[in-house]
Amino acid sequence: MLCKALKYAALAAGALCLSLPAAQAADVTVGFSVPSLSTAFWTSAAYGVEKEAEKAGVKLVKVDAGNDNNVSQQIGQIQDLMQRHVNVLIIGAANDDALKPIAERAIASGIPVIGFSTPPNTDKLASYIGADHYDMGRLQAECMGKALGGKGKVAMMSFITGQIWADLRAKGFKETLAKEFPDIAIVAENRLATTRAESITVAEDWVQRFPDLAGIYTTVDDMAGGVVPALKAAKKSVVVTTSNLSPSTQKMVHDGDLPCSSIQKIVEQGRNALQQAVLAARKEPTAKAVLLPALMVTKDNIDTIDLSSVSAPADYRP
Amino acid sequence: MKMADLPGSHLLRRLPVSIWGLVVIVALVALFLPGFARIGNITNVLRVGAILALASYGQTIVLISGGIDFSIGSSVALCSVVTALAVQQLPLGLALTAGFASIIGVGAINGLLIAYLKLSPFLVTLGMLLLVHGFAAIVAGGLPVEVPDREGIHTLSGSDLLGVPYPVIIAGLAAGALYLLLERTTLGRSWFLIGSNLAAAAATGIRLRRNIFLAYVLAAVFVGVAGLILTSRVAAGEPNLYPTLPFETMAACAVGGIPLTGGRGSALNAVIGVIVIAVLNNAIVLLNFPAYAQLSLLGIIMVGAVIAQGMPSWTRPSRIRSL
Amino acid sequence: MDTTVADSVALRRPCAVRSRLRFGVLGQVRYTIGVATALIAAAAFAATFADFGTFENAANVLSLFGPLAVLSVGQMIVVLVRGFDLSVGAVFALATVITAEAMNTAGLVGLAAAPLVGIVFGLLNGVLVSYFRVQPVIATLGSLLLARGAALLAAPNGQAVILGGDAQMVLLNLQLANIAGVPVTAIFTLIVFLVVAFVLYATAFGRRLFMVGGDPRSAALVGVRVHAVTVAAYTLCGFCAGLTAILILMRTGMGLPTEGVGMEVQSLAGAVIGGSQLSGGYANPFGVFFAALFIQTTQSGLNFSGISPYAAEMVMGCSILLAGLLDRVSQRIFRTA
């Protein structure tokens, strides 16, 4: 009798010990605030964060400001998250300077903040998970320069103004071209098109305006997804470079329609962000910065890249 | 001999005033912009304009009947998502039909809520804009749903018949259909009355609710065709396919001379307005100005064109126009 | 433009305007829809989330709904005279940029730039609509594009303009401050609404606004200068957009040239849910106040819930539809116009 009771007691104690860390983690609520979940970039980031949150057993509250521009909306959402008493915040800022005051207020009220990709511009962050957007632009320039043999006319679709990540990519592209391929001229820059449909129209108009256009730079792969078929239909051979690697872009690189794409391991960054967030929530030491370098993906190395760390699967719904 | 005595002048008088704005703008652009007057560019402009035209036909019907539709951007996005998902299981033709049906569905819901529940068209279509967009996003997931090229998806938007792109032919035929609908059917004529004087329309015994419901459903038919062409062009299911479409159609209708207060309008007005907007958009890209100048210029020219339309009435004694 | 089938009942009776004024706020049951929806939303979310139904959170929501509320009340004035203003989002973005630059040069005095920018664009809209007979949609769409272009031009490289040091701290602290638990921004908003209500109900100008909105032709016959009143209405709306810019500056501490996309539609929704009709002639600031509160409560509640943002959007759409439905139901029950 006693042996049985002892056995059960031991089992119960063991079970309690095992479940205790999980119970602890389940008390952690992580708030994740991004500008817009309508883009492949943030969707893949959310995928990484969510998968890791499931693994760690923490509760995840996602909010999205609806638009890369909605700075005041994002600030309001973070206020709501603070009101909800989340234990830690992961913030990808629509505008790094504008988000600084609210981030510091959160930190002051005891909620640590992890910066993701475009962090709020404060040095009080618990951690920063980074991508080098400037580098992504630089890699596109190198790819473009090589593909064009060092000379020709190039046009840029740089996304709308005021988005720091897009501006950094464009800057990296322009400066690298100027430095390393001075014979390549940038003849046009469009800062209005964002959707695939708009990019198709701009590309078609450019083909008319600049019959000898040799290359087009696109900020995100959704634009390239429209531009490449449009150019094919117009029977123009123009080199297109892009960033990010959603499934359709993977196919284009495979088939040789795109010479390259500069990417970051977004999903892995998402996972890192959540890991750091849980550490911060538990008041454990965090890494000051986790930087993953930008990579250039071409036909040659695409098979060696672990795509699951780069892009969310096609059937993921944030 | 006065202008009014010339043969055929009675036809001239029946043309909307906006056509002169169109002529002036096209002439200016053709003369001063390099690259505009080439066949390739004009074909592009017309091809893109055809999509806007079809959507504007739908907006025209809704406007004439005294309503407004903000949800067409989301419903074409839904069409692309449904088509892209359906094509994974069904042949392309059936998939496109499914996409088309989804737009009709949205139009029917709009019509039900506005005609039978008598809710405000503004609120209904605004609510549907959000609902349908959210639904399309949930169904599609976070990434665009690609339609593989081998399905022949580009045929509808990309092919020509004797040099004229299919979308342009379709838009032309649809304009004719819209004209017949508005001018030659009782249903169409009833919309004019409903839009200008609802109380009078009710008094004449028109089946108000049925006709208003049909306005939204038939508008959805035109928007559906636009959605199919757009899906074919983009070859992907995207929840954010064309968010500014409702505003562009409203601008096109207004520039073409259709008042947003309802009761007046025609297919020709819509066509003129669309061509003006499409030409302006193309001209802006060709001019290659920096972004801020592009936006400002578009605004100034658009307003200028409309002001110019109103100029003939400045010589008449000032009347207070219903805004 | 936005005539509902229910309008077939709402014939313009000659005494309609007078009765609206005489019974003022309380006589108009339709305007209580805003209050009802705000209360229902608040109750629903408070029941679901423990942290939602606290005074602290009430203060949170109150501190957030200001910009939408002020934009909506400006929109309400224009809708009253049978128009609408699509440029409000772009105008307040431009105002934040110009004000930030003005404050960086001249200190706190630069705040005056915000309402000035709003007034300029309001005047432009009003003149285009009334004297040039341009449809409101085109006139305001044109000024939207103009304002966006101007904002990109005024901001260096199209980037946001950071407010310099002290001025920024003053504004940001104001955003956080409260008087007896009520956030300063909410009090600011309330003052704006009280002023608008005073103008509408207690001044001759307000009466003229109702007359022009109700029937411009009759108003002209009676001697009201319809064009001047219309211009004034649009100018007031622009002024409200300028005030919104101040609120946004308090929240973000920066001039943002690309902010405000979609706010024109949201503010129209706020006005319409608050009882205005796009065909003109109806306005009640308190309905709009609570409609904006309802929208913000729903948004904050959805943020609390952590549901998929796509689902949150669907819920937002449904709640707008429900607000419209509630409006209809209350009309049927109380049989008011």
Side-chain angles (χ1 to χ4, degrees):
Chain A
M1 249 321 266
L2 196 55
C3 293
K4 251 200 185 160
L6 274 174
K7 241 194 278 181
Y8 284 146
L11 271 172
L16 252 172
C17 288
L18 284 173
S19 68
L20 215 45
Q24 238 180 28
D27 291 344
V28 171
T29 310
V30 178
F32 183 37
S33 163
V34 300
S36 163
L37 277 172
S38 310
T39 57
F41 178 87
W42 289 114
T43 304
S44 299
Y47 176 72
V49 171
E50 202 172 312
K51 284 287 157 247
E52 193 68 20
E54 277 170 29
K55 214 167 78 172
V58 302
K59 182 153 175 45
L60 181 66
V61 178
K62 298 190 291 285
V63 291
D64 111 63
N67 191 312
D68 280 307
N69 289 323
N70 286 357
V71 173
S72 61
Q73 174 85 321
Q74 187 175 27
I75 294 179
Q77 287 180 328
I78 295 178
Q79 248 182 263
D80 286 331
L81 286 178
M82 285 166 61
Q83 197 54 45
R84 196 191 184 289
H85 302 300
V86 296
N87 302 108
V88 61
L89 279 169
I90 306 178
I91 301 182
N95 182 301
D96 48 355
D97 288 312
L99 272 276
K100 169 173 178 229
I102 187 81
E104 293 190 343
R105 217 173 109 202
I107 296 169
S109 76
I111 305 177
V113 173
I114 313 283
F116 189 102
S117 180
T118 44
N121 191 8
T122 165
D123 48 9
K124 303 201 187 108
L125 294 176
S127 177
Y128 162 56
I129 316 297
D132 197 336
H133 291 285
Y134 183 93
D135 222 33
M136 290 172 80
R138 183 182 64 80
L139 288 172
Q140 275 203 46
E142 309 225 328
C143 172
M144 177 75 81
K146 255 186 278 184
L148 292 185
K151 58 179 166 49
K153 292 193 187 159
V154 163
M156 295 176 66
M157 287 193 203
S158 311
F159 212 75
I160 42 178
T161 52
Q163 306 310 307
I164 191 92
W165 54 272
D167 292 333
L168 281 172
R169 286 186 203 176
K171 193 159 163 237
F173 184 81
K174 281 186 210 164
E175 288 179 1
T176 315
L177 269 191
K179 217 170 20 174
E180 298 185 21
F181 303 97
D183 288 328
I184 296 186
I186 301 178
V187 293
E189 186 178 6
N190 183 293
R191 305 227 59 173
L192 293 175
T194 53
T195 64
R196 188 182 292 207
E198 290 168 345
S199 310
I200 296 178
T201 312
V202 171
E204 287 177 347
D205 289 340
W206 274 343
V207 158
Q208 291 298 318
R209 176 85 164 78
F210 308 105
D212 51 349
L213 189 65
I216 295 184
Y217 157 94
T218 54
T219 313
V220 290
D221 58 345
D222 196 31
M223 297 163 127
V227 170
V228 167
L231 291 172
K232 266 203 218 161
K235 304 205 183 26
K236 284 277 183 173
S237 77
V238 177
V239 170
V240 179
T241 60
T242 190
S243 296
N244 298 342
L245 201 67
S246 59
S248 57
T249 319
Q250 294 164 18
K251 181 166 187 305
M252 283 197 283
V253 174
H254 242 288
D255 295 345
D257 292 326
L258 277 176
C260 64
S261 177
S262 61
I263 63 165
Q264 335 160 26
K265 296 192 170 179
I266 311 170
V267 174
E268 197 175 317
Q269 285 173 359
R271 288 202 210 109
N272 286 338
L274 186 80
Q275 285 164 2
Q276 295 298 314
V278 172
L279 287 176
R282 294 206 207 128
K283 311 278 189 275
E284 292 171 35
T286 56
K288 201 61 191 155
V290 180
L291 293 170
L292 298 169
L295 297 173
M296 173 106 90
V297 175
T298 63
K299 201 164 163 186
D300 304 321
N301 65 6
I302 188 168
D303 294 318
T304 62
I305 302 214
D306 173 19
L307 294 170
S308 69
S309 66
V310 172
S311 169
D315 57 359
Y316 168 63
R317 277 142 191 66
Chain B
M1 182 141 103
K2 293 206 221 113
M3 185 79 168
D5 297 336
L6 290 170
S9 61
H10 67 282
L11 285 173
L12 264 181
R13 238 178 286 132
R14 287 193 58 197
L15 287 175
V17 184
S18 47
I19 198 159
W20 301 117
L22 170 64
V23 168
V24 167
I25 286 182
V26 172
L28 282 175
V29 170
L31 285 174
F32 290 110
L33 273 191
F36 177 79
R38 284 197 219 120
I39 285 290
N41 188 51
I42 306 243
T43 316
N44 283 342
V45 172
L46 290 177
R47 195 199 308 267
V48 172
I51 298 173
L52 184 60
L54 286 160
S56 300
Y57 300 156
Q59 187 75 264
T60 302
I61 294 178
V62 169
L63 287 176
I64 289 177
S65 70
I68 195 158
D69 195 342
F70 280 99
S71 63
I72 46 186
S74 300
S75 53
V76 298
L78 180 65
C79 169
S80 73
V81 169
V82 168
T83 308
L85 288 173
V87 92
Q88 292 168 2
Q89 319 274 0
L90 305 167
L92 182 60
L94 282 180
L96 287 173
T97 317
F100 185 77
S102 66
I103 295 191
I104 303 290
V106 174
I109 298 178
N110 281 338
L112 275 172
L113 292 174
I114 294 173
Y116 291 99
L117 287 186
K118 303 184 192 155
L119 304 185
S120 144
F122 171 76
L123 283 184
V124 167
T125 56
L126 188 61
M128 288 300 283
L129 181 160
L130 294 172
L131 245 177
V132 171
H133 180 258
F135 180 68
I138 290 182
V139 167
L143 302 172
V145 183
E146 302 290 336
V147 177
D149 204 5
R150 59 180 157 74
E151 302 279 346
I153 183 75
H154 285 293
T155 332
L156 182 58
S157 66
S159 314
D160 305 339
L161 183 64
L162 301 174
V164 183
Y166 278 162
V168 179
I169 299 178
I170 295 175
L173 290 173
L178 180 65
Y179 169 77
L180 288 173
L181 179 62
L182 289 176
E183 302 291 324
R184 297 270 187 259
T185 64
T186 339
L187 177 63
R189 302 303 310 170
S190 76
W191 290 331
F192 286 98
L193 186 55
I194 293 173
S196 43
N197 194 329
L198 196 55
T204 61
I206 296 175
R207 292 173 61 185
L208 267 185
R209 293 196 266 200
R210 186 198 73 146
N211 288 13
I212 294 181
F213 172 75
L214 284 177
Y216 285 88
V217 172
L218 288 173
V221 169
F222 287 99
V223 175
V225 179
L228 290 179
I229 299 178
L230 202 47
T231 307
S232 156
R233 182 169 162 84
V234 165
E238 301 201 326
N240 274 1
L241 188 60
Y242 202 158
T244 53
L245 185 59
F247 295 103
E248 292 195 21
T249 55
M250 285 181 226
C253 288
V255 167
I258 300 177
L260 259 65
T261 42
R264 286 195 350 246
S266 77
L268 186 56
N269 285 96
V271 169
I272 292 174
V274 167
I275 297 182
V276 170
I277 299 275
V279 166
L280 281 180
N281 278 334
N282 176 252
I284 294 290
V285 175
L286 291 182
L287 281 171
N288 200 19
F289 286 166
Y292 65 81
Q294 288 188 21
L295 290 172
S296 308
L297 199 58
L298 190 59
I300 294 175
I301 298 181
M302 202 171 56
V303 175
V306 174
I307 291 181
Q309 273 179 46
M311 276 197 319
S313 68
W314 291 359
T315 52
R316 286 190 230 126
S318 170
R319 3 178 292 271
I320 304 300
R321 195 192 75 153
S322 297
L323 290 165
Chain C
M1 162 191 86
D2 181 48
T3 49
T4 64
V5 179
D7 284 352
S8 60
V9 174
L11 301 171
R12 304 260 189 265
R13 305 187 305 271
C15 58
V17 173
R18 267 188 70 208
S19 66
R20 267 199 287 278
L21 291 178
R22 196 196 306 154
F23 295 117
V25 176
L26 297 176
Q28 270 56 214
V29 176
R30 67 177 296 141
Y31 303 118
T32 62
I33 288 312
V35 184
T37 49
L39 288 175
I40 294 175
F45 284 112
T48 334
F49 300 105
D51 287 325
F52 197 84
T54 60
F55 278 123
E56 216 190 328
N57 188 48
N60 175 43
V61 172
L62 282 175
S63 76
L64 290 177
F65 90 119
L68 178 61
V70 174
L71 274 182
S72 297
V73 82
Q75 195 75 248
M76 175 198 81
I77 299 176
V78 170
V79 168
L80 172 58
V81 292
R82 301 185 167 197
F84 54 89
D85 191 344
L86 293 177
S87 64
V88 286
V91 167
F92 91 69
L94 173 65
T96 61
V97 171
I98 297 201
T99 311
E101 294 185 336
M103 286 175 75
N104 282 343
T105 358
L108 273 179
V109 178
L111 265 182
L116 279 175
V117 170
I119 289 176
V120 165
F121 275 86
L123 271 173
L124 175 64
N125 283 332
V127 166
L128 283 174
V129 169
S130 55
Y131 289 101
F132 288 95
R133 319 258 179 87
V134 180
Q135 286 191 57
V137 68
I138 291 294
T140 56
L141 204 51
S143 49
L144 179 160
L145 292 169
L146 204 56
R148 283 272 171 232
L152 289 178
L153 184 56
N157 260 343
Q159 302 294 341
V161 178
I162 308 181
L163 260 185
D166 288 340
Q168 192 193 54
M169 285 325 292
V170 169
L171 283 183
L172 289 175
N173 286 334
L174 264 183
Q175 164 78 3
L176 297 176
N178 37 27
I179 301 177
V182 180
V184 166
T185 51
I187 297 183
F188 181 90
T189 310
L190 186 60
I191 294 179
V192 171
F193 273 80
L194 287 173
V195 168
V196 170
F198 177 79
V199 167
L200 277 183
Y201 293 120
T203 65
F205 172 66
R207 211 159 305 151
R208 281 186 223 129
L209 278 173
F210 276 103
M211 288 168 77
V212 170
D215 192 337
R217 258 171 258 222
S218 309
L221 286 173
V222 178
V224 173
R225 292 166 57 203
V226 174
H227 285 326
V229 170
T230 313
V231 171
Y234 278 91
T235 312
L236 274 174
C237 179
F239 180 72
C240 287
L243 292 179
T244 311
I246 298 183
L247 286 173
I248 296 289
L249 276 171
M250 283 166 66
R251 200 195 287 193
T252 61
M254 323 190 52
L256 298 158
T258 48
E259 180 72 40
V261 174
M263 286 304 282
E264 58 286 316
V265 177
Q266 275 196 45
S267 61
L268 266 177
V272 173
I273 295 178
S276 302
Q277 281 212 330
L278 284 169
S279 49
Y282 296 86
N284 184 311
F286 298 104
V288 174
F289 184 87
F290 285 101
L293 201 51
F294 155 68
I295 294 179
Q296 182 58 54
T297 310
T298 312
Q299 279 180 349
S300 290
L302 289 172
N303 290 336
F304 255 66
S305 68
I307 61 175
S308 154
Y310 301 159
E313 201 182 353
M314 288 186 75
V315 172
M316 197 70 222
C318 278
S319 48
I320 291 186
L321 289 177
L322 282 174
L325 190 60
L326 211 52
D327 182 50
R328 267 305 293 148
V329 165
S330 83
Q331 278 183 43
R332 291 290 300 271
I333 295 179
F334 295 101
R335 290 189 182 281
T336 35

